[in-house]
Amino acid sequence: MAYKAAIFDMDGTILNTIDDLTQALNYAMEQGGHEHDFDAKDVAAFFGSGVYVAIKRALSVENGFPYEKLDQIGTPEEPDGCFRNEAEIERISKIYKPYYDSHCDIKTGPYAGIPEVLRELRECGIKTAVVSNKPDPAVQTLVNDKFNGMFDFALGEKDGIRRKPAPDMVNECLRVLQMPRSECVYIGDSEVDFQTGKNSGMDVISVDWGFRPREYLENLPAEKIVSTSVELLRAICK
């Protein structure tokens, strides 16, 4: 039987945001007096756990931290050697957030087939939602600009609710949608999304077109990895 609600991550899942993220991060780092020539591959590795962690990863790389351990930054297993000056991370974050909020929709667009998937889901009576670690103002802007009327609920990172992979944001979504978690699926492109779904007691579908390569996703205990929007629709409407 098909799921009755599909909850999506945003960056790397429904929207290709990497160019705007890269430009905004480099802007904030330059204004803060730091290295600011990161490319899209770098920035894809930085993001997934919210702005604070992304900037912490960028500052860690600037100070020689190895890329292969970046995904441990921002987790309970955070390794020694990463950047730990919280005041400096917050300072750069305060430059980044307002700049990105006003520049989040320049080069960003949906991945191929995603609008069609959303329309099909809604025509089939399946509720749709976005739960993202992107700051909430940018989430609301992009949902309205790129997917007007296609989502029943959207939530980004905000004060007072723990970010993913904690289940709090998904739990709020389920409360608003009035849906049991057993009838919902979480869709994302990263280890954070996989853990979010698991922490929320939900099935997870991983997509391989986003910020983490397929070989990385295959090292997770992922139940389902899809490569196209057609495969995604079939996985939701199984």
Side-chain angles (χ1 to χ4, degrees), residues 99-165:
Y99 183 86
Y100 181 73
D101 287 347
S102 61
H103 295 80
C104 66
D105 198 9
I106 297 172
K107 296 182 179 180
T108 288
Y111 286 102
I114 292 299
E116 291 77 10
V117 167
L118 295 172
R119 281 193 288 269
E120 182 71 20
L121 292 177
R122 295 181 68 79
E123 288 174 5
C124 293
I126 298 173
K127 292 185 180 295
T128 55
V130 172
V131 172
S132 170
N133 276 340
K134 180 186 290 295
D136 191 63
V139 168
Q140 303 305 328
T141 294
L142 291 171
V143 163
N144 290 332
D145 288 354
K146 304 300 183 183
F147 303 106
N148 190 24
M150 293 186 184
F151 286 105
D152 299 290
F153 177 83
L155 177 64
E157 185 177 22
K158 58 169 60 175
D159 292 340
I161 182 166
R162 292 186 299 169
R163 62 173 172 82
K164 301 184 302 180

Side-chain angles (χ1 to χ4, degrees), residues 23-126:
Q23 200 279 328
L25 180 68
N26 281 329
Y27 172 85
M29 293 287 282
E30 180 179 19
Q31 294 298 305
H34 291 280
E35 181 179 341
H36 55 276
D37 59 351
F38 296 110
D39 62 20
K41 186 177 180 180
D42 297 326
V43 175
F46 297 159
F47 278 90
S49 296
V51 172
Y52 183 92
V53 173
I55 292 171
K56 186 172 188 176
R57 288 172 176 171
L59 291 168
S60 295
V61 166
E62 179 186 35
N63 284 272
F65 190 83
Y67 272 84
E68 58 268 24
K69 294 183 178 181
L70 277 180
D71 60 357
Q72 298 176 38
I73 295 178
T75 73
E77 294 78 35
E78 189 169 85
D80 294 334
C82 65
F83 190 86
R84 295 187 182 278
N85 185 331
E86 295 184 5
E88 183 64 2
I89 299 169
E90 287 290 353
R91 186 177 75 88
I92 305 303
S93 297
K94 288 178 180 178
I95 299 171
Y96 173 90
K97 288 180 179 179
Y99 183 86
Y100 181 73
D101 287 347
S102 61
H103 295 80
C104 66
D105 198 9
I106 297 172
K107 296 182 179 180
T108 288
Y111 286 102
I114 292 299
E116 291 77 10
V117 167
L118 295 172
R119 281 193 288 269
E120 182 71 20
L121 292 177
R122 295 181 68 79
E123 288 174 5
C124 293
I126 298 173

